Amino acid sequence: MINNQRNLSMLMDSYELTMAYAYFKKGMKDKEAVFDCFYRMNPDKGGYCIAAGLEQLVDYILNMHFSEDDITFFRNKYHFDEDFLDYLKDFAFRGTIYAVKEGTIVYPNTTIVTVKANIIEAQLIETMLLLTVNHQTLIATKASRIVRAAKGRTIMEFGARRAHSYDAAIIGARAAYIGGVDATATVAAEQDYKVPATGTIAHSFIQAFDNEYEAFEAFAQVYPDNCHLLIDTYDVLESGIKNAIRVAKEVLEPNGHRLKSVRIDSGDLAYLSKKVRKALDDAFMSDCKIVISNSMDEYLITSLLDQGAPIDSFGVGERLITSKSTPVFGGVYKLVAIEKDGMLIPKIKKSENIEKITNPGFKKLWRLYSKSTGNSICDVLTTRDEVINEAKEYWFVDPLKPWSEKLTTDFTAVELQKTIIENGKLVYELPTIEEIRAYVKQQLEHELWVEELRFENPHVHYVNQSKKQYQLKMDLLAKAEHMGEN
């Protein structure tokens, strides 16, 4: 959703503008280029990521423009020539975007987004593309881990007040919902993105009354059909649960209503939840749920459940909305091909760090599935002109073990990237958030191997290359030895 108070087209690194001007002055403005967006490492040492943020990226690209105020800023700040400023006045993205469907399970070094456009257009969208994909992919992936740790119990996202900005709170709630959480506390996320918003009372509500019982009674009278009580303001066992049960018996049940849940936000959560569960059951309130919050993440949730804590729902805040354990998603945007004499010439970035060597050329990304089980076998990067024929034997190269070519049989092959924007026009029907969420769930339940879902030492999904693609990379690496010479 574009913020009407600021032109987000200006959200770019300064070097994108200085490069664009240099391209323009050197007569390269119509030279076509191909850039890939990919990442190198799963956060939290996990087994997979969930690609997210495509809807917001599309919205940004389709609305990209520069106002008169922006042009004035460029003139004063950079002293650009008027011919370049005229070019920016008329600017619109007219290239093509390929991307995996939002919600696709992705792995390191696979192309999430590919941009094919003139080099200025492709360069100017770099920062916003990375910002959008990096943030939402990070939060959706963290949410998925937390949801899996809960083993079917409800997860609510409570993190807005600890998010890194207001837009990170709202967009983060969207990404968390894609990753599998059931609801958010952020009202704007429901208004903007249809993420269900939920919430009851804080400690301040209880403190605002003369005593805890009066606070519970007041809330029950106002919300008899949806009464959820926070029981740790003073003492969970000595007053909180006792007053909650008393209100249930004296206010709710006589009028045909039931207490929906109690929430504990502090203390020894495993111990307290067991004691509260017993008190509720003894009061014939086994239908009353126990909700736990307070710095939750997948590891603490796993620990609580391993201790037998009878928890029905978790409120997860800062450790989800900021992905506190791994707060940065390392997506990058690299040039992989550029036009010369009417042809796209593959380009490579060489590095002393092996993981930073890029995969050159305008490529395709395939996922191979076992015909017998339906599980994904591996991903394969190929050159653009290659087609992987289904069900026939297929040889490919594991770039980590290039001396040993691999053979796969009895498989189906799916090309993962779709054409999203073509010649500046949207040609893809963006799915609803519910469709994206369901797509994530379907992949996790039916396509991934259970070994990939482990929190500790997960199986590494194979990302392979066709023999032709691998040979191209080796040839360019050899050639790169001399590219820095005069």
Side-chain angles (χ1 to χ4, degrees):
M1 180 175 66
I2 295 297
N3 183 342
N4 293 326
Q5 294 181 338
R6 173 173 288 281
N7 179 10
L8 291 186
S9 305
M10 294 290 284
L11 207 169
M12 62 179 68
D13 286 286
S14 187
Y15 78 174
E16 290 160 30
L17 283 163
T18 57
M19 286 190 289
Y21 184 55
Y23 291 140
F24 186 89
K25 297 301 288 183
K26 300 304 291 184
M28 297 172 65
K29 69 180 180 65
D30 296 319
K31 186 178 283 290
E32 194 168 55
V34 180
F35 283 77
D36 282 346
C37 170
F38 60 95
Y39 71 102
R40 300 187 179 103
M41 184 181 301
N42 290 324
D44 290 307
K45 299 181 180 179
Y48 66 91
C49 283
I50 296 171
L54 180 62
E55 181 179 315
Q56 285 65 49
L57 175 60
V58 166
D59 188 48
Y60 160 74
I61 288 174
L62 295 180
N63 287 280
M64 194 173 181
H65 70 283
F66 299 108
S67 68
E68 285 298 329
D69 286 346
D70 300 333
I71 299 302
T72 299
F73 174 82
F74 293 149
R75 183 181 290 114
N76 295 335
K77 165 70 177 176
Y78 296 100
H79 308 293
F80 291 146
D81 290 349
E82 290 300 318
D83 53 352
F84 183 59
L85 293 174
D86 288 340
Y87 171 83
L88 293 179
K89 284 180 188 177
D90 236 2
F91 184 88
F93 183 87
R94 298 178 175 88
T96 299
I97 302 286
Y98 308 90
V100 300
K101 293 166 56 178
E102 189 162 16
T104 297
I105 302 299
V106 290
Y107 303 95
N109 299 309
T110 57
T111 47
I112 300 174
V113 181
T114 296
V115 177
K116 183 172 179 280
N118 77 54
I119 195 163
I120 293 178
E121 292 176 15
Q123 198 76 73
L124 290 182
I125 68 172
E126 175 181 2
T127 297
M128 193 61 175
L129 184 153
L130 286 173
L131 184 160
T132 303
V133 172
N134 280 345
H135 176 238
Q136 291 203 57
T137 300
L138 178 69
I139 303 305
T141 303
K142 187 65 172 179
S144 176
R145 291 171 59 85
I146 289 169
V147 168
R148 288 194 296 105
K151 298 181 178 178
R153 295 163 180 83
T154 300
I155 296 290
M156 298 169 287
E157 183 275 310
F158 282 0
R161 63 195 62 192
R162 303 286 170 78
H164 291 148
S165 73
Y166 59 87
D167 53 345
I170 300 167
I171 295 290
R174 177 188 187 270
Y177 190 64
I178 286 171
V181 307
D182 298 282
T184 180
T186 306
V187 175
E190 177 159 0
Q191 184 179 41
D192 291 352
Y193 300 113
K194 297 181 171 59
V195 180
T198 187
T200 54
I201 55 176
H203 296 111
S204 57
F205 182 88
I206 297 160
Q207 292 170 291
F209 291 80
D210 288 342
N211 59 63
E212 189 175 53
Y213 178 81
E214 285 185 16
F216 288 177
E217 179 185 42
F219 198 79
Q221 288 170 343
V222 176
Y223 296 100
D225 293 315
N226 192 32
C227 188
H228 304 262
L229 300 177
L230 179 60
I231 62 172
D232 74 322
T233 303
Y234 301 116
D235 190 300
V236 172
L237 300 182
E238 292 304 316
S239 65
I241 188 59
K242 291 178 180 178
N243 283 323
I245 292 172
R246 182 181 166 194
V247 165
K249 298 302 180 182
E250 295 179 358
V251 180
L252 293 171
E253 292 181 18
N255 294 294
H257 306 291
R258 301 289 291 179
L259 179 61
K260 298 295 185 181
S261 75
V262 294
R263 178 161 70 96
I264 310 170
D265 190 51
S266 60
D268 187 328
L269 301 175
Y271 172 79
L272 291 173
S273 62
K274 292 175 184 178
K275 291 294 187 179
V276 167
R277 182 74 272 161
K278 184 176 187 311
L280 290 170
D281 291 347
D282 288 347
F284 304 100
M285 296 171 60
S286 59
D287 56 329
C288 182
K289 307 296 185 184
I290 297 176
V291 181
I292 296 293
S293 51
N294 188 24
S295 299
M296 294 288 117
D297 63 13
E298 64 270 41
Y299 299 107
L300 182 52
I301 290 172
T302 297
S303 174
L304 289 169
L305 297 182
D306 285 347
Q307 295 173 69
I311 299 167
D312 301 290
S313 179
F314 295 90
V316 187
E318 62 190 47
R319 296 189 183 185
L320 167 55
I321 206 65
T322 66
S323 187
K324 184 178 179 182
S325 54
T326 307
V328 176
F329 187 78
V332 295
Y333 185 73
K334 299 297 182 183
L335 178 75
V336 294
I338 194 162
E339 177 192 353
K340 184 177 182 181
D341 299 327
M343 304 208 26
L344 282 173
I345 306 303
K347 292 287 183 176
I348 195 168
K349 178 190 179 298
K350 189 182 175 186
S351 174
E352 293 297 320
N353 301 106
I354 293 174
E355 68 276 7
K356 288 195 170 185
I357 297 173
T358 58
N359 290 311
F362 187 22
K363 299 176 289 296
K364 289 181 180 177
L365 172 63
W366 302 81
R367 184 157 296 164
L368 275 52
Y369 296 90
S370 167
K371 274 194 167 183
S372 57
T373 69
N375 295 101
S376 58
I377 302 170
C378 65
D379 285 10
V380 182
L381 289 168
T382 71
T383 59
R384 195 70 188 174
D385 60 343
E386 290 184 88
V387 176
I388 299 180
N389 294 316
E390 297 183 359
K392 297 179 181 179
E393 66 178 29
Y394 183 73
W395 291 90
F396 53 80
V397 177
D398 178 352
L400 299 179
K401 301 176 182 178
W403 56 86
S404 176
E405 292 184 357
K406 304 292 183 180
L407 171 67
T408 296
T409 59
D410 190 37
F411 67 90
T412 59
V414 176
E415 188 178 345
L416 290 186
Q417 285 193 329
K418 310 295 180 186
T419 305
I420 310 299
I421 293 173
E422 188 170 33
N423 299 323
K425 304 294 184 184
L426 181 64
V427 296
Y428 173 78
E429 185 175 348
L430 292 168
T432 67
I433 195 168
E434 293 295 344
E435 289 170 335
I436 299 169
R437 177 180 163 88
Y439 176 47
V440 171
K441 188 172 186 288
Q442 181 266 326
Q443 293 170 93
L444 292 174
E445 292 181 354
H446 302 292
E447 295 183 13
L448 270 67
W449 301 89
V450 294
E451 292 82 1
E452 284 183 45
L453 300 175
R454 293 192 297 252
F455 292 147
E456 303 293 337
N457 300 313
H459 167 74
V460 177
H461 182 90
Y462 297 111
V463 178
N464 302 299
Q465 296 178 16
S466 69
K467 292 192 284 185
K468 185 176 180 181
Q469 174 64 33
Y470 183 75
Q471 190 58 53
L472 171 65
K473 184 174 183 177
M474 293 301 102
D475 291 345
L476 287 181
L477 278 175
K479 185 178 178 182
E481 293 285 346
H482 309 289
M483 290 297 289
E485 301 172 1
N486 292 329

